[in-house]
């Protein structure tokens, strides 16, 4: 009996030591890798049964984490037009297109400005501009607890090559992309981020992961888990139309709300390197962006699961309907294209502004007029509208004009 009791005590001591070691390891991992997002249980108070209609009473509050060079401007455009027609309040930057990025987002950037209602709890209805998400609790302070959280991801190699050309990183780094990919990995890793915000593993960076943790499998897997925990839906650029149909189902959009024109499309690919990477360099770029690839692979698989649940036949029908409506709208609105310079990138110090596709409309109704406006113009109109609302509240200025319903 004494021997049995001794064995039981030894086993109990071993279990206690194992538990203590495990807890210590977890704390150290989080401390070393600075894994973003809280470790609390899921904050997603809105439930969504795919294919069964909107998850909340329309209009939903929406947080859209706008990532870089992922076709996120298309989603931002439809959210801006949708929200403006419904007179929703946006959490917008007073100048430019960034809410603090590359510094982490804080609620002061939305709540303590004259761009949100001056009375009540000073929360916004929609956040859809670039920010760097380090602490989700800051978003929760800025929107209602029932807000729907969405973001978008894209193939990292395609995204990086697009960034390299769009931001003219060849001039900034004094290195063409082909030469960059011939450097050893150690030298590639030390290239600085452009303006402190643009560079390697951009999606992870926008999600708050620090560059020194990009090569840590534990940090990347931790980020994936936290995105799963906090976001209701992740759109995938390679399946844009399917993603938009699911977004419609999630937040109660109409098919007409989904009609957009491509945003920030380069009129011609200046200094394009997207089609000239040989297999060796393509593989090296993929390996260098492995963290973003893990994100993209995981959430692409997740999207395809949602499409299956929605029903592939039903999805094909709705995608065909969306594409037909898009073409019909372009025709009825008399949409034509022209070349314009992207002045929004001037703040980066670029002298040779990239040429983008702009749009004109021959249509006279308000829907057509707003459809062809680029996001930077829509953002300025939102800022003006919300500031005048604040000004009227305190100084009794005349009311501002609303966008009429289409």
């Amino acid at each position: 009996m004494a021997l049995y009791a001794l064995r039981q005590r030894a086993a109990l001591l071993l279990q206690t030591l194992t538990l203590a070691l495990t807890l210590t390891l977890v704390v150290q991992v989080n401390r070393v890798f600075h894994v973003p997002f809280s470790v609390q249980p899921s904050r997603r108070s809105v439930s969504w049964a795919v294919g069964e209609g909107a998850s909340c009473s329309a209009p939903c509050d929406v947080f859209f984490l706008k990532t870089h060079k992922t076709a996120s401007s298309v989603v931002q455009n439809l959210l801006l037009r949708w929200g403006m027609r419904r007179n929703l309040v946006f959490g917008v930057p007073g100048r430019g297109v960034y809410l603090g990025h590359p510094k982490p987002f804080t609620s002061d950037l939305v709540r303590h400005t004259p761009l949100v209602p001056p009375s009540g709890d000073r929360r916004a209805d929609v956040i859809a501009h670039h920010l760097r998400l380090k602490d989700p609790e800051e978003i929760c302070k800025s929107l209602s607890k029932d807000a729907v959280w969405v973001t978008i991801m894209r193939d990292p190699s395609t995204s990086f090559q697009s960034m390299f050309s769009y931001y003219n990183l060849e001039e900034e780094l004094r290195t063409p992309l082909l030469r960059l990919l011939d450097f050893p990995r150690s030298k590639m890793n030390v290239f600085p981020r452009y303006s402190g915000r643009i560079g390697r593993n951009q999606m992870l960076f926008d999600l708050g992961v620090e560059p020194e943790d990009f090569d840590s499998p534990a940090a990347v897997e931790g980020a994936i888990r936290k995105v799963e925990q906090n976001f209701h839906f992740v759109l995938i650029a390679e399946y844009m139309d399917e993603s938009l149909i699911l977004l419609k189902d999630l937040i109660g959009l109409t098919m007409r709300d989904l009609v957009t024109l491509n945003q920030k499309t380069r009129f011609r690919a200046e200094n394009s390197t997207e089609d000239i990477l040989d297999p060796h360099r393509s593989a090296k770029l993929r390996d260098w962006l492995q963290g973003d690839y893990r994100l993209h692979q995981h959430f692409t698989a997740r999207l395809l699961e949602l499409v299956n649940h929605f029903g592939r036949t039903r999805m094909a029908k709705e995608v065909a309907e969306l594409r037909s409506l898009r073409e019909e709208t372009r025709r009825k609105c008399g949409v034509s294209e022209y070349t314009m310079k992207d002045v929004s990138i001037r703040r980066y110090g670029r002298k040779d502004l990239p040429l983008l596709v702009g749009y004109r409309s021959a249509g006279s109704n308000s829907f057509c007029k707003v459809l062809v406006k680029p996001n930077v113009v829509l953002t300025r109109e939102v800022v003006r509208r919300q500031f005048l609302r604040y000004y009227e509240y305190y100084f009794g200025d005349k009311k501002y004009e609303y966008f009429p319903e289409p």
Side-chain angles (χ1 to χ4, degrees):
M1 291 293 293
L3 181 60
Y4 177 77
L6 186 61
R7 286 178 177 172
Q8 287 290 94
R9 281 185 198 160
L12 181 60
L13 179 60
L14 181 61
Q15 289 177 351
T16 303
L17 289 173
T18 302
L19 178 60
L21 181 62
T22 301
L23 289 174
T24 301
L25 181 61
V26 169
V27 170
Q28 291 301 320
V29 166
N30 279 287
R31 183 178 300 162
V32 171
F33 296 125
H34 313 292
V35 177
F37 309 110
S38 74
V39 294
Q40 299 173 1
S42 174
R43 67 181 72 255
R44 298 185 300 181
S45 58
V46 176
S47 60
W48 177 36
V50 180
E52 296 182 11
S55 60
C56 53
S57 56
C60 296
D61 284 4
V62 177
F63 167 49
F64 173 57
L65 177 60
K66 188 178 187 299
T67 49
H68 286 80
K69 305 310 290 180
T70 56
S72 61
S73 292
V74 171
V75 182
Q76 183 192 47
N77 181 269
L78 73 86
L79 289 175
L80 284 168
R81 292 185 294 113
W82 170 74
M84 291 170 79
R85 285 197 299 272
R86 287 155 180 79
N87 198 34
L88 301 183
V89 176
F90 287 84
V92 289
R95 287 185 63 187
V97 296
Y98 286 98
L99 284 165
H101 198 294
K103 292 182 178 180
F105 174 82
T106 62
S107 59
D108 289 352
L109 293 169
V110 168
R111 300 186 70 194
H112 297 163
T113 74
L115 299 178
V116 293
S119 58
D121 59 5
R122 298 186 65 95
R123 293 176 186 264
D125 301 314
V126 181
I127 293 177
H129 285 74
H130 281 299
L131 60 84
R132 189 159 181 243
L133 183 63
K134 191 77 172 177
D135 181 5
E137 205 59 46
E138 294 298 318
I139 297 294
C140 294
K141 295 176 185 176
S142 307
L143 297 172
S144 76
K145 65 180 179 62
D146 295 326
V148 173
W149 291 39
V150 296
T151 187
I152 186 169
M153 297 180 183
R154 182 187 183 190
D155 176 86
S157 290
T158 305
S159 178
F160 184 82
Q161 291 177 72
S162 178
M163 282 192 300
F164 203 91
S165 176
Y166 179 76
Y167 294 104
N168 196 15
L169 297 187
E170 178 176 341
E171 180 177 316
E172 174 70 14
L173 302 176
R174 295 183 174 83
T175 305
L177 180 58
L178 295 181
R179 185 182 175 195
L180 173 68
L181 294 174
D182 288 335
F183 288 139
R185 176 73 171 267
S186 58
K187 187 170 183 178
M188 292 171 65
N189 288 350
V190 300
F191 275 99
R193 302 192 78 81
Y194 184 41
S195 292
R197 61 168 60 103
I198 303 298
R200 179 191 179 204
N201 282 336
Q202 189 63 46
M203 291 185 292
L204 279 176
F205 187 77
D206 290 341
L207 285 163
V209 177
E210 298 300 333
E212 59 264 28
D213 298 330
F214 285 166
D215 292 320
S216 164
V220 174
E221 293 302 317
I224 289 173
R225 288 195 303 272
K226 297 309 184 283
V227 174
E228 286 277 16
Q229 183 183 50
N230 289 278
F231 285 80
H232 295 82
F233 180 47
V234 178
L235 297 88
I236 300 297
E238 290 76 21
Y239 297 92
M240 178 58 85
D241 287 341
E242 291 85 352
S243 295
L244 292 178
I245 295 298
L246 291 174
L247 181 66
K248 172 178 72 72
D249 186 68
L250 172 60
I251 64 175
L253 302 173
T254 67
M255 192 67 79
R256 196 184 192 197
D257 290 327
L258 300 184
V259 174
T260 59
L261 304 173
N262 290 334
Q263 300 294 315
K264 290 207 168 184
T265 301
R266 280 170 288 160
F267 191 79
R268 61 175 179 271
E270 301 170 305
N271 304 323
S272 177
T273 59
E274 298 178 23
D275 297 323
I276 60 175
L277 294 186
D278 57 66
H280 172 73
R281 290 189 177 101
S282 294
K284 189 170 183 179
L285 180 59
R286 181 186 179 95
D287 181 64
W288 192 49
L289 303 174
Q290 190 58 42
D292 269 4
Y293 264 104
R294 279 291 299 122
L295 276 175
H296 183 259
Q297 289 172 340
H298 179 90
F299 289 103
T300 297
R302 177 67 176 138
L303 175 74
L304 296 178
E305 290 176 5
L306 294 175
V307 169
N308 285 333
H309 192 84
F310 187 85
R312 287 195 170 274
T313 301
R314 178 184 172 190
M315 177 61 75
K317 180 180 178 182
E318 295 206 16
V319 165
E321 180 183 350
L322 172 59
R323 291 172 179 172
S324 175
L325 181 60
R326 190 181 289 142
E327 291 304 313
E328 179 185 353
T329 302
R330 286 184 66 114
R331 186 172 62 255
K332 287 184 176 180
C333 287
V335 174
S336 58
E337 298 180 354
Y338 69 99
T339 307
M340 68 176 187
K341 290 186 176 181
D342 184 12
V343 295
S344 68
I345 202 173
R346 186 174 287 153
R347 66 180 59 88
Y348 291 95
R350 278 200 65 169
K351 298 177 181 178
D352 55 329
L353 302 180
L355 296 176
L356 302 182
V357 175
Y359 302 99
R360 296 188 182 95
S361 171
S364 59
N365 67 63
S366 60
F367 182 86
C368 293
K369 291 179 179 178
V370 177
L371 177 67
V372 297
K373 291 183 179 182
N375 292 358
V376 65
V377 172
L378 293 177
T379 297
R380 283 200 299 265
E381 292 182 2
V382 167
V383 169
R384 174 183 174 275
R385 168 188 295 193
Q386 293 181 193
F387 179 77
L388 288 179
R389 173 188 294 173
Y390 182 92
Y391 192 84
E392 177 190 0
Y393 180 86
Y394 283 110
F395 303 104
D397 197 11
K398 64 180 182 179
K399 291 185 177 180
Y400 55 90
E401 297 179 355
Y402 294 78
F403 273 119
E405 286 285 347

